[in-house]
Amino acid sequence: MLRRLTTELPRSFTLGAVALGIGLASGPAGAEELRIGFLAPMTGIFAQVGKDMSNGFQMYLDEVGNDFAGAKVVFILEDGQGKPPVNVRKAEKLIRQDKVHMFIGGLLASTGYALAPVSTRLKTVYIPSVAAADDLTQRQASKYPYLMRTGWTSSQPNHPFGEWACAQGYKKIVTIGADYAFGYEVVGGFQKAFEDCGGKVIQKIWPPLGTKDFGPFIPTIKDDADAIFTLMVGPMSLQFPKQLAASGNKKPVLGGGTSYDEFVLPSMGDESIGHYSALQYSAALETPKNEAFVKKYREKYGKVPSYYSETNYTTAQMIHEIMKKTGGKWPGGEKFVQMLAGLKLDTVRGPVHFDELRNPVQNVYIRKVEKKKMFGFPDAELWNVVVKTYPDVGQFWKYGKDKFLKQPVYSRDFPPCKYCE
Amino acid sequence: MSERTKILIVVAALIVLLIVMQFASSFVILLVTQALVFAILAMSLDILLGYTGLPSLGQAAYLGVGAYLTAILATKYGFGLGSSFWAVIVLGILLGAVTAAIFGLFAIRASGVYFLMITLALGQCVWGLAYRWNSLTGGDNGINMPGRPNFGIDLAHDMTFFYVVFGFFVAALAALYLLVKSPFGRSLVGIRESELRMRILGYNTWLHKYIAFIIAGAFGGLAGVLWAFLNGLVSPEDVILTTSVDALLMVVLGGPGTLVGGAIGAGVVVFLREYLSTLVEWWQYALGGVYVLTILYLPGGLMGIPERIRQRRALSAPAEQAKAVSVSQ
């Protein structure tokens, strides 16, 4: 669908190498071309999310006819298969073979950590539009001068969410989250803010990433908890609420943004109604910009956009804004990052600007799953209805940059579970 | 074909590769370097599979210990980034050998499919450690290498690193060739053909297999060190079962019991996996198709092609003669 077979399938590897070499000799990118590499999982368990990612970006390109202020956008999609080493090899290919000006994407936090050094080593701009690994724009930011984040840090929406949980009167919470970097950072951010306003996390459960059966985990949830905080990714999001409801759970359920993201929400049953989550986007956001975006996206791809679609759509829009300022000329990697860091833009998710470590400062929405009709669509469906907006939330929340960076990055052991028995 | 002609062909092919690489793009250089590293791994497996008749499904374990050793030394102690690179190479080989020596105690007792299952399980143990031992291995995130060694010669330059890997590949090929041609190698082949007979002849077959297993592990460790420096990232995904399966398929594809076959198989697989996958989305079908066709029509692998052609000719020649005779009558 996106690549052309330029050489005849060579019979041996050596022959192939020769053919490749010749194919490349045709010269680097022309001046008016903006070559963008895009890494998303197209196969494997995260394929659906990967599709949402590339669709979001593609939709913006289609809207402007692949024309960024005179520069013709060449969009090259590579399948990272959701595996960090594969993503690294594909990024090398994008930079060396396709001579891209920048590469975008990477889904998992671990992929983000793997791709960032590639951008430094090969001096190419990397935009993690989804990969939310905290340290890329925190403690390690100085190591990655070509990295510019347009998405979020994992803990960013969960700091206000922790405070919100206190305001609801919850005292004791059990967390259950996917056992990898992203899970630690989401749960860590929530725990930190929640305990700072007087709450107690009394138990932390870590099912492996990609868990299909939560049977062994759900019965261990402590009875004296007021609420459950979940962090699910990919297909886990679908499975967990079903099994939780089947176990007869009556406790309120809170979740990290990806637990109820729109990529999985339409497939969920009514058991998830009333669950709360926090993210910088909701498809049910009632602004004219978002309403138009949702309608158009749904018409084009037959489904409601998820945050994965929105963040990549917005990323494309941001790149376009920079190219408008340069009159369609590529300003060079360093200059591009610098210009993008200074950008203030009203996007589909709301107003966005960037902090000094090149991470967005943006609204965080507390969202409740409800079944209702929205935007004139005929059926009552599940939506992440926004119940509260925290404006201008940065990655350091109210802690201040210096104080925040003094603590270690959120991990399995930090913050320590002081109230666990 | 005499042994001498075969060696000449291999040497000529290596020289051609060196010449072609002078004109290759940086991406191709990377791919060929990857293929060479995997070729070392595949050849090490060939000692077991092709020469001794032991189908191991855990070869990625040795690549893994070599790679993780390199990454941990480099990130925690800054060791291996200067001329200590050579020390890391030695350590990687030793650790691969030691790991194999331990695993061998469990695995060598079994044969056939049981051997396959035990090596698979042991390989998964290494993966489990890589994935779970967060403080040491970085868990799912893996370990980012700080860079490639610089000891007067800067290996950060891809072509320089290619030469180094090429050197190790040639050395490994030569060493393994001498090994399989030695009396020890002959007795391995004897074990493959009939272990019982070798035992009756007075050979300690367990020890022979155990030593072969350790040697294979050592070369796996070498491949691991090079792999870590090549990719700049060591991740549990490198140690996963798929890598072991890939290595096994490389050997089967190229032709088991030929050494060079493993290298050719590595080249074909890396090319399909890394290059074809960027062109088309159905590359996995192509890879699968190649495997199925090889097993169905080329049980001897790609290296078996010349032999097959010769057999065809030998078979068709008498038939034609017979035809000619019947016509003249």
Side-chain angles (χ1 to χ4, degrees), chain B residues 185-244:
Chain B
R186 300 285 185 197
S187 31
L188 289 184
V189 175
I191 292 171
R192 181 190 71 193
E193 293 302 320
S194 171
E195 189 173 347
L196 187 62
R197 186 175 296 176
M198 291 298 283
R199 217 180 294 154
I200 292 167
L201 284 173
Y203 286 89
N204 184 345
T205 54
W206 183 89
L207 190 64
H208 275 80
K209 289 200 282 185
Y210 187 57
I211 292 174
F213 199 76
I214 293 174
I215 292 172
F219 281 94
L222 169 66
V225 176
L226 298 175
W227 186 247
F229 280 121
L230 171 63
N231 270 3
L233 169 73
V234 180
S235 154
E237 289 289 339
D238 292 329
V239 195
I240 211 163
L241 180 62
T242 323
T243 313
S244 293

Side-chain angles (χ1 to χ4, degrees), chain A residues 161-302:
Chain A
F161 199 28
E163 198 175 283
W164 180 86
C166 278
Q168 304 310 301
Y170 302 132
K171 300 278 181 247
K172 293 176 175 176
I173 284 185
V174 169
T175 69
I176 174 163
D179 191 3
Y180 77 121
F182 175 67
Y184 307 147
E185 291 170 2
V186 167
V187 171
F190 178 82
Q191 184 188 353
K192 164 94 176 145
F194 181 59
E195 293 190 341
D196 281 352
C197 56
K200 290 177 180 172
V201 168
I202 57 166
Q203 185 187 14
K204 288 158 102 172
I205 304 170
W206 301 110
L209 181 62
T211 297
K212 292 180 190 75
D213 179 15
F214 292 90
F217 301 101
I218 290 173
T220 65
I221 295 175
K222 292 210 168 111
D223 275 339
D224 56 340
D226 302 327
I228 300 169
F229 180 85
T230 81
L231 185 271
M232 300 294 149
V233 188
M236 297 168 82
S237 310
L238 195 56
Q239 189 61 15
F240 181 75
K242 271 189 203 148
Q243 282 191 288
L244 190 65
S247 75
N249 172 60
K250 295 277 179 289
K251 298 183 202 304
V253 184
L254 318 179
T258 54
S259 297
Y260 299 95
D261 186 73
E262 285 82 0
F263 92 91
V264 70
L265 196 62
S267 326
M268 282 180 156
D270 290 352
E271 72 274 356
S272 50
I273 291 175
H275 294 190
Y276 289 92
S277 59
L279 201 62
Q280 70 279 12
Y281 177 69
S282 162
L285 193 59
E286 288 184 80
T287 60
K289 258 202 165 81
N290 183 54
E291 182 171 348
F293 174 69
V294 172
K295 282 183 173 160
K296 200 164 169 194
Y297 188 93
R298 195 166 192 181
E299 190 185 327
K300 200 167 160 105
Y301 300 111

Side-chain angles (χ1 to χ4, degrees), chain B residues 128-139:
Chain B
L129 275 180
Y131 192 71
R132 289 323 253 126
W133 197 349
N134 270 25
S135 55
L136 191 67
T137 63

Side-chain angles (χ1 to χ4, degrees), chain A residues 107-110 113 130-138 149 151-161 180-190 229 231 256-258 278-280 307 359 362 364 394-395 404 409-410:
Chain A
L107 168 64
L108 301 176
S110 44
Y113 281 129
V130 174
D134 275 14
D135 256 1
L136 292 180
T137 53
Q138 291 177 5
R149 174 136 56 194
W152 55 311
T153 59
S154 321
S155 55
Q156 192 173 358
N158 296 293
H159 291 136
F161 199 28
Y180 77 121
F182 175 67
Y184 307 147
E185 291 170 2
V186 167
V187 171
F190 178 82
F229 180 85
L231 185 271
T258 54
L279 201 62
Q280 70 279 12
Y307 111 80
N359 188 67
Q362 55 202 353
V364 164
Q395 56 180 336
F404 188 88
V409 68
Y410 295 125

Side-chain angles (χ1 to χ4, degrees), chain A residues 1-7 9-14 16-18 20-22 24 42-43 51 77-79 81-86 88-90 92-94 96-97 99 108-111 113-115 117-118 121-122 144 179-181 184 206 208-209 412, chain B residues 13 16-17 20-21 23-32 34-35 38 131-132 134 140-142 144-145 147-148 156 158 227 230-238 240 242 264 267-268 270-284 286:
Chain A
M1 98 199 199
L2 31 115
R3 305 126 184 165
R4 23 172 227 271
L5 204 70
T6 45
T7 49
L9 203 68
R11 278 192 206 114
S12 78
F13 184 63
T14 329
V18 179
L20 269 167
I22 293 166
L24 269 180
M42 290 288 128
T43 50
K51 203 96 201 140
L77 176 62
E78 288 294 347
D79 176 13
Q81 301 165 25
K83 299 174 184 168
V86 177
V88 167
R89 297 204 287 267
K90 298 288 180 180
E92 296 257 8
K93 181 257 174 187
L94 286 169
R96 290 157 185 267
Q97 168 106 327
K99 314 259 186 256
L108 301 176
S110 44
T111 303
Y113 281 129
L115 284 174
V118 178
R121 178 152 46 92
L122 297 175
Y144 308 128
D179 191 3
Y180 77 121
Y184 307 147
W206 301 110
L209 181 62
R412 217 168 192 269
Chain B
V16 168
L17 179 64
V20 168
M21 290 303 285
F23 306 101
S25 71
S26 70
F27 180 55
V28 174
I29 294 171
L30 203 68
L31 283 188
V32 175
Q34 271 178 25
F38 258 100
Y131 192 71
R132 289 323 253 126
N134 270 25
D140 186 43
N141 284 351
N144 279 312
M145 298 288 293
R148 289 197 196 134
D158 289 317
W227 186 247
L230 171 63
N231 270 3
L233 169 73
V234 180
S235 154
E237 289 289 339
D238 292 329
I240 211 163
T242 323
I264 294 174
V268 174
V270 169
F271 168 75
L272 285 176
R273 194 177 59 189
E274 305 297 335
Y275 187 66
L276 191 64
S277 70
T278 65
L279 295 177
V280 290
E281 282 182 348
W282 43 264
W283 63 277
Q284 279 166 322

